[in-house]
Amino acid sequence: QGPCSSVDTACASALVAMHWGCHAVRSSECTDGLVLAVSLKLVPHTTLGAASAGMLSVDGRCKTLDARANGYARAEGVAALAVGGSAGGSAAPSTLLDGSAVRQDGRSASLTAPNGSAQRLVLLGPLGRASVSLDEVACIEAHGTGTALGDPTEAGSLAGVHGARTASLAV
């Protein structure tokens, strides 16, 4: 993705934008960048579709990685992150991930049935590219569907790669 690129990958758009922003800095396409993410729910069609498919939490609260999980809650949000080495030449703090990965989930039974094998592969990729050991991982950004099917699959994938230490990482 080049300067001023936009990314639309549904619920993963902010993470994909961050991945490509950091990739552009690491590969010297630019020295600094600003990753912006905006999620607005302007029309009801997607929400109505998710509700009719039984994907939304009946109480409007997402209880990610919790035994009480009963779906997710759609919400609006805005976030910005400066990425790079010099943050525009100023002393402003910036971030550059040691490694990140984006991958399609692969074949699965349905949209709401994640593929654990694909998730394990996407977790392992950035570790090798960044030359980072499992012990050096400080934080994991998880998808966290808040569903009885998605969360255990994702937690199992995280445990399959990171083992018992996953519970101590900020997810």
Side-chain angles (χ1 to χ4, degrees), residues 61-163:
R61 296 181 181 270
C62 187
K63 297 174 254 340
T64 303
L65 303 174
D66 187 314
R68 299 170 297 149
N70 62 359
Y72 73 99
R74 291 178 51 81
E76 297 182 333
V78 177
L81 176 69
V83 295
S86 64
S90 71
S94 65
T95 300
L96 186 60
L97 300 176
D98 289 328
S100 61
V102 173
R103 185 176 195 277
Q104 200 271 346
D105 201 29
R107 181 176 289 263
S108 61
S110 72
L111 175 65
T112 61
N115 181 324
S117 297
Q119 290 181 352
R120 284 188 295 281
L121 287 173
V122 78
L123 288 165
L124 290 169
L127 293 170
R129 284 191 296 282
S131 299
V132 172
S133 73
L134 289 175
D135 291 337
E136 295 175 279
V137 175
C139 180
I140 297 171
E141 175 67 34
H143 182 239
T145 61
T147 64
L149 178 60
D151 283 358
T153 302
E154 186 168 19
S157 298
L158 287 165
V161 172
H162 292 274

Side-chain angles (χ1 to χ4, degrees), residues 25-88:
V25 172
R26 278 194 305 271
S27 64
S28 299
E29 293 177 37
C30 58
T31 56
D32 302 294
L34 184 62
V35 176
L36 300 166
V38 178
S39 178
L40 299 174
K41 312 304 181 215
L42 301 176
V43 294
H45 310 303
T46 304
T47 301
L48 293 171
S52 67
M55 297 163 62
L56 298 183
S57 172
V58 296
D59 59 8
R61 296 181 181 270
C62 187
K63 297 174 254 340
T64 303
L65 303 174
D66 187 314
R68 299 170 297 149
N70 62 359
Y72 73 99
R74 291 178 51 81
E76 297 182 333
V78 177
L81 176 69
V83 295
S86 64

